[in-house]
Amino acid sequence: MTEHPEALRWKVYGERAVYDNRWIKVNLVDVEPPDGSRFEHHVVKLDHVAIALLVNENEEVLTLWRYRFAVDQWGYELIGGLVEDGEEAAQTAAREAEEETGYRPIGEPEHIVKFQPLPGMIDSPVDVFMWRQAEKVGEPTDAEEAARIEWISVDRVLDLVRNGEVLGSGAIIPLLYYLASRNSGAGGSR
């Protein structure tokens, strides 16, 4: 079998927007899967997101403890935001870290992972960058981001994820990636 068998590629005949605003775009895409049927499939398009994973010398991760109304839940998240026009994803992650926490990442970031959170229906690229140093330069400029800013031990991460206390793939994937790479001696390790 080939790595990318063309016989399994879906054909796209066109698409039309059914909802479009600054934050979200919903399209109906005219598709034909390999079985030959043809139908319209919803695709949600969201902006490119950049996430900052800040890990200090004590193996603690900088997190936001916040409320998300869409799921009516409190939990831990990493720092991140939408990549603005003309901005590189790493710049976005660093800018968001400073705005949301008052910590400025130091040095060149390590790009640790790029992913799509739900590629069957959502197009929302996420890039994650890690820094091992940050300096406190002030207070957060966006006071609505978090109820508290907290350095949590990396050793607590797995339990927090297991208990549903870490919200969203933008935090869960980078944290689990970091744990796996730390344990394997691969990228992201000391």
Side-chain angles (χ1 to χ4, degrees):
M1 178 181 247
T2 63
E3 188 174 326
H4 301 287
E6 283 302 312
L8 296 179
R9 183 182 294 273
W10 288 34
K11 294 178 185 167
V12 175
Y13 294 98
E15 65 184 286
R16 62 186 169 93
V18 293
Y19 182 81
D20 189 357
N21 77 9
R22 165 66 189 97
W23 302 104
I24 187 169
K25 182 176 186 176
V26 180
N27 289 346
L28 278 175
V29 183
D30 182 3
V31 295
E32 180 183 323
D35 70 4
S37 61
R38 190 167 165 182
F39 54 90
E40 288 188 311
H41 191 291
H42 284 89
V43 174
V44 177
K45 293 185 179 262
L46 305 174
D47 285 341
H48 185 186
V49 172
I51 305 288
L53 174 62
L54 303 178
V55 182
N56 68 19
E57 66 278 355
N58 299 320
E59 283 293 288
E60 296 169 323
V61 176
L62 188 59
T63 64
L64 305 174
W65 174 258
R66 65 179 305 171
Y67 176 74
R68 290 295 191 178
F69 80 91
V71 292
D72 190 26
Q73 187 176 350
W74 286 90
Y76 291 100
E77 289 186 3
L78 294 179
I79 305 123
L82 303 178
V83 177
E84 294 179 1
D85 288 339
E87 190 174 49
E88 294 294 321
Q91 291 173 308
T92 299
R95 175 181 52 76
E96 291 288 341
E98 190 169 337
E99 289 174 3
E100 294 180 6
T101 69
Y103 282 88
R104 178 180 298 144
I106 298 172
E108 289 299 311
E110 177 183 352
H111 183 257
I112 62 169
V113 67
K114 180 181 189 101
F115 66 93
Q116 289 274 1
L118 238 130
M121 347 181 22
I122 299 174
D123 180 5
S124 179
V126 179
D127 279 291
V128 182
F129 299 89
M130 184 176 78
W131 286 268
R132 287 233 168 243
Q133 293 183 337
E135 63 181 337
K136 182 77 169 164
V137 295
E139 294 305 311
T141 58
D142 191 347
E144 295 181 14
E145 285 294 330
R148 82 177 172 260
I149 298 160
E150 182 179 350
W151 289 95
I152 61 169
S153 171
V154 171
D155 295 332
R156 287 183 55 208
V157 166
L158 200 54
D159 285 336
L160 293 172
V161 170
R162 181 182 304 115
N163 294 331
E165 294 179 70
V166 179
L167 300 180
S169 60
I172 294 170
I173 290 172
L175 290 169
L176 294 181
Y177 177 89
Y178 179 74
L179 282 175
S181 64
R182 183 176 86 142
N183 293 335
S184 73
S189 64
R190 293 197 124 175

